[in-house]
Amino acid sequence: MTQPRHYDLNHTSIWAKLHQHQRATRHMHMRELFAADPQRFQRFSLSLGPLLMDYSKHRITERTLELLFELADAAHLKDWRQRMRAGEAINVSEKRAVLHMALRGQAGDDFQVDGQPVMAQVLAVRARMAAFAEQVRSGAWLGFDGRPIRAVVNLGIGGSDLGPLLACRALRPYAAAQLDMRFVANLDGQHLAQALQGLEPATTLFIVASKSFTTPETLMNAEAARAWLLAAAPTEAVARHFVAISSQTERVRAFGIDPANMFEFWDWVGGRYSVWSAIGLSVMLSIGPAAFEDFLAGARRMDAHFLEAPFAQNIPVILALLGVWYNTFYRAHTHAIMPYDQGLARLPAYLQQLDMESNGKRVGRYGETLDFDTGPVIWGEVGVNSQHAFFQLLHQGTRLVPCDFIVPMRSHYPLDRHHEALVANCFAQTEALMRGKTEAEVLGELAGLDGDTLDMLLPQKLFPGNQPSTTLALDAITPHTLGMLLAMYEHKVFVQGVIWGINSFDQWGVEYGKQLARQIQPELADASAALAHDASTNALIAHYRARKAQP
Ligand code: G6Q
């Protein structure tokens, strides 16, 4: 075995300096930083068109950022960014290029993989998607009994589900009213059964979205969906009611879908980075090709910003470095995402996959052990609702939880008072988390109380504050701003991966459980099969067999 290359950033002087700086500044309170510097917002905020990022409510000074930029330089961030853009195989364990940026490229862009230009094929698939979407949306694409399509069911999981699901929900104000968009990912039969409720086979289109076309969850759902269609229709109907999105033509053909109804993408697109590819077909069907182009243009705008802006003005770079600051140097374990927009309710789930599948790794890209914390646990929930649920812990718990607040300045829905109240809540939470409530303030509120009651209540009503947050204010949730937002997070994850020395583009960790499930499934079905697992797993299998056999 060749000697693995070493990750050594954590043994450099800049790493040590950041630790020192953290120790020297950790008692500093943001309330005081604001009081001392009337320019703090101007100093620590950036805008890019319709996006404003306020990162002034962080435990940072200008020195912190200087050191973090130095860390990014020491990790050769500029080189890695260029290597990704140039189509080098930076996904080293799978020897693949990482070119989701090409998926939102336009004619004339020079994206290449292995020295071969890729824009022509990207644009050709996009044009086929658009032609198909126009047919379905206009009612020209007919189901087996001559009626137009009224419902689209996307069958896919993970990267082949979360992106299109999020975008379709977020962009509902742009959606074609005549198309009912549904998504099925789970192997649990109730997901498909419920999604099909109320649908007619003759007016339903299925999209089988699977890059590998071997994913058992998706293929099992696709087979059941085909059976549902064929219970009402002749075999030829499959051609009118099933399309596939995949990189595997032969497997698509073997499943019985005509490759003429297949929209291709390539192995240089990771599943969780694929919403911009043919995997976005459901999004294009829903919002139309022109709005889908806006979605891509928003992402492209963020790409150009990420590639060109100096670190000190670079939104994804700063977002990433703030995450590194808390994760690595404060040892914060989690990071919360709070969208104040009902349409973005699935954003936390989307970012869980994007971030945790990319950077949830304990080994560096060349196999070296990383002896520091890497990717955080990402969690969150739509804003306001979460205030009535878990914000207690953010305000008065014992943990440091950096948060992202995402909020549109304008709503698509004509309930202005609702929107103003929503925005007020969002801003109020960032303020409360930052400033906290001091003893003097609480004493003022408790005036009139004394003795034991006061002693008991005072500490309970204190808010320590100093809980960091970034506010991402979008003018409105549009295809363009959603494209910017998602591309921003992709680049954030990339930057963090570079700093931690991780290959953010493979996911070996999801394989093992799948392997064991393949072994256990036949053991559940065959009660006589011998079991050789641990005592717990053996007992669970036996319990299932016994309960299943009961009437
Ligand atoms: C994403 C992952 C994973 C993948 C699903 C679906 O980056 O690789 O979530 O998207 O496992 O895979 P298929 O598209 O191949 O069915």
Side-chain angles (χ1 to χ4, degrees), residues 491-548:
H491 295 316
K492 171 201 162 175
V493 166
F494 169 77
V495 171
Q496 294 189 333
V498 168
I499 299 218
W500 293 324
I502 286 172
N503 173 7
S504 302
F505 303 103
D506 58 12
Q507 56 281 315
W508 302 108
V510 300
E511 293 304 321
Y512 186 36
K514 289 191 205 170
Q515 202 183 328
L516 291 184
R518 278 196 293 274
Q519 186 186 334
I520 292 175
Q521 196 178 336
E523 293 170 352
L524 294 174
D526 174 6
S528 65
L531 300 177
H533 305 269
D534 58 275
S536 159
T537 310
N538 284 345
L540 290 169
I541 294 171
H543 180 74
Y544 174 84
R545 287 169 171 176
R547 290 303 156 112
K548 187 181 123 185

Side-chain angles (χ1 to χ4, degrees), residues 157-160 209-215 218 265 270-273 279 353 357 507 514:
I157 195 163
S160 299
S210 177
K211 178 176 160 186
S212 61
F213 232 75
T214 56
T215 305
T218 300
F265 69 122
R272 54 193 175 275
Y273 298 87
I279 288 291
Q353 175 179 37
E357 204 166 62
Q507 56 281 315
K514 289 191 205 170

